[in-house]
Amino acid sequence: MDNDAGWTASLMTCGTSVQYKLDTGAQANILPRETYGRLSQRPALKKTQTKLLTYGSSSTLPVDGQCICQVAPEKGGARYLRFFVVPLAAEPLLGLKSCQDLGLIKRLCTTEAPENSDVFKAAENSVARDYIDIFTGIGHVKRYSYTIQVKKDSTTYAATAPRRVPYPLLDKVKAELQRMVESGVIEEVTEPTAWVSPMVPVPKKNGSVRICVDLTRLNHSVQREQFQLPTADQLFASLHGAKYFSTLDAASGFYQIPLSEDCSSLTTFISPFGRYRFKRLPFGITSGPEVFHRAMQHILAGQAGAECYMDGILVWGSTKEEHDTRLRDVLNRCRDEGVKFNLSKCVFLKQQVKFLVMC
C-alpha cells in the first residue's frame, strides 16, 4: 500500500495490474470503462439495475454494467469481487467491504469473531469466503415475480378483528412487523381490501416471534400451476461418481420472490397494530413451494453438478477442484439473480451431507 499517495494499492485484476484508490466510505467497487477495456482476461459485462449515488448528494453515476473480477493481493488468496463499470475518467476504486476482505485495511479495537459466528463459519471454506455478501440479508430474485390468481367463482373473506395476541408477545409482534416492513417483505394497508386474513404469532426458540398468517380461506380459491416437484430418485440419479458435496439453504426462501402489485392485496392480514399486505411470496400460500422451486430451477438451468429442491441446493463434484468450480458457478448465478442464503444452515465441502431428509 502506498501511504504517501493516499490510500492506494496495486492489485492484479483479471491478469492486469490495476492501481486502486481505497475508499472506506464507499459501498461499491468501481472500474472506469478505460480500465475495464485493458484487462487481459476481461470478464463479461452484465446489465444492472443498481443505482450508484455520489457522496453527499442524490446525483447518480452512469453505469455501463457490472462484472465479477478475480483480484489478487500480494499476500493471501485471490478474491472474486463485483465491480461496476462507469463511462468516466476516474480512478479505479475499492469500497470498504472489499478492502477488508482483501486484508488491505484492518479494524482496530474490536474482538475476534467467536468460533460459532457466521463469519467464522464462512472462513472455513475458501469458496464461501469470497461470497460473504450473499450470506447476509433477504434476497430479492430479480427476473421472477409471482401473481396469485383466484378462481372466478371465489367468495371473498375479510376478517374484521385481529386474533388475540398474548400480552407478553405484543411488543415482540410489533417489532417483528416493523422489521418486515423495513426489509421490504410487507407494507401497511389503509385502503379497503376484499380479502383480509388473520395473523398468528409463533414464539421462536431465540425469544423472538415469527409472523404467520392463516391463509386457509384464500388457499381454497387459489389457482395453482401444478408444477411438478422432482422426486428423491430423480434428484439422486445423477450423483454417480460424486465424492464432494455442499448444500445451500435459501434465506427466508419464499420471501425472495416478489409478488406482483396486482395480487398483493389478496394477502392482506389484520394484526393488533393494523393491516398489512405482503410484497413477497408469503409462507402458507398453497402454491408457494412450486413457485419457488420453479424459479430456482430456472436460475440453475444447465448448471452441471447442481440440483435444487425448493429452498435447498445440492452441489457436488467427483474431485475437490470440480466441486469448487461448480460451487463458484452456482454462487455466481445466485449472486447475479439476487438469491441469498442462510449461512448457518449451509454445509461446505463434505463427503457426506444430509439432503431431502424426510421426517
Side-chain angles (χ1 to χ4, degrees):
M1 182 182 300
D2 185 354
N3 293 323
D4 294 334
W7 287 61
T8 62
S10 294
L11 303 170
M12 291 300 295
T13 305
C14 294
T16 301
S17 179
V18 176
Q19 180 85 0
Y20 290 98
K21 177 181 179 181
L22 309 185
D23 189 344
T24 58
Q27 298 180 7
N29 304 319
I30 302 295
L31 278 181
R33 182 187 294 170
E34 181 276 331
T35 305
Y36 171 77
R38 61 183 176 84
L39 296 178
S40 61
Q41 301 170 7
R42 190 161 58 250
L45 192 62
K46 298 183 179 181
K47 294 181 179 180
T48 178
Q49 299 299 319
T50 301
K51 294 182 179 180
L52 301 180
L53 301 179
T54 57
Y55 177 74
S57 75
S58 59
S59 301
T60 59
L61 293 176
V63 179
D64 287 344
Q66 66 178 2
C67 61
I68 303 297
C69 294
Q70 184 186 58
V71 180
E74 293 182 1
K75 298 179 179 180
R79 298 286 189 272
Y80 287 84
L81 305 178
R82 184 196 300 258
F83 285 86
F84 294 94
V85 177
V86 298
L88 302 173
E91 290 182 276
L93 181 147
L94 283 179
L96 173 61
K97 185 178 183 305
S98 293
C99 290
Q100 291 176 319
D101 290 346
L102 291 168
L104 300 173
I105 64 172
K106 184 177 181 180
R107 183 189 296 271
L108 299 179
C109 301
T110 186
T111 58
E112 294 184 358
E115 292 191 2
N116 62 349
S117 73
D118 284 350
V119 175
F120 184 89
K121 288 180 180 178
E124 292 179 353
N125 180 268
S126 60
V127 176
R129 195 163 52 235
D130 295 336
Y131 295 86
I132 297 299
D133 57 300
I134 67 173
F135 295 108
T136 56
I138 297 176
H140 186 176
V141 175
K142 300 174 183 177
R143 291 194 297 155
Y144 303 92
S145 64
Y146 175 56
T147 299
I148 300 172
Q149 299 185 34
V150 296
K151 302 170 185 176
K152 293 182 179 180
D153 58 348
S154 299
T155 301
T156 60
Y157 170 75
T160 57
R163 290 183 181 176
R164 180 181 174 276
V165 175
Y167 183 79
L169 296 181
L170 279 175
D171 287 345
K172 295 179 179 180
V173 168
K174 185 177 182 179
E176 180 61 12
L177 289 170
Q178 184 59 33
R179 187 194 69 80
M180 293 173 71
V181 169
E182 293 174 353
S183 62
V185 173
I186 62 174
E187 64 181 1
E188 193 171 2
V189 176
T190 56
E191 69 274 10
T193 57
W195 290 87
V196 182
S197 299
M199 182 210 74
V200 181
V202 178
K204 298 169 67 174
K205 292 181 180 180
N206 63 5
S208 63
V209 297
R210 177 182 290 109
I211 301 298
C212 297
V213 178
D214 184 355
L215 298 173
T216 302
R217 299 291 287 270
L218 175 62
N219 283 334
H220 289 325
S221 299
V222 171
Q223 290 182 311
R224 296 180 62 177
E225 300 177 14
Q226 302 301 337
F227 185 86
Q228 183 64 47
L229 297 179
T231 65
D233 289 342
Q234 290 172 326
L235 288 176
F236 296 143
S238 59
L239 296 182
H240 178 72
K243 295 182 179 179
Y244 296 90
F245 305 90
S246 288
T247 58
L248 304 172
D249 182 85
S252 301
F254 291 3
Y255 288 169
Q256 302 199 38
I257 305 293
L259 278 184
S260 67
E261 183 70 22
D262 295 339
C263 73
S264 180
S265 63
L266 296 174
T267 66
T268 301
F269 64 93
I270 189 169
S271 79
F273 306 100
R275 289 179 302 130
Y276 298 84
R277 66 181 180 182
F278 282 90
K279 300 171 67 178
R280 309 287 184 89
L281 179 65
F283 289 91
I285 192 77
T286 186
S287 54
E290 59 204 50
V291 169
F292 187 82
H293 178 82
R294 174 170 57 84
M296 294 301 298
Q297 191 174 71
H298 285 177
I299 290 171
L300 296 176
Q303 172 61 52
E307 291 288 350
C308 67
Y309 189 87
M310 292 200 298
D311 57 355
I313 298 176
L314 176 67
V315 182
W316 73 89
S318 57
T319 65
K320 179 182 180 301
E321 291 73 21
E322 182 180 58
H323 164 275
D324 287 357
T325 297
R326 289 174 170 178
L327 181 58
R328 286 190 185 279
D329 290 342
V330 169
L331 293 175
N332 279 328
R333 284 196 186 197
C334 292
R335 173 188 270 167
D336 290 342
E337 294 290 349
V339 179
K340 295 199 173 187
F341 299 102
N342 184 346
L343 184 60
S344 64
K345 294 184 179 180
C346 295
V347 177
F348 298 102
L349 194 61
K350 302 294 183 182
Q351 292 188 288
Q352 186 176 14
V353 294
K354 292 182 179 180
F355 192 68
L356 294 184
V357 177
M358 303 298 179
C359 298

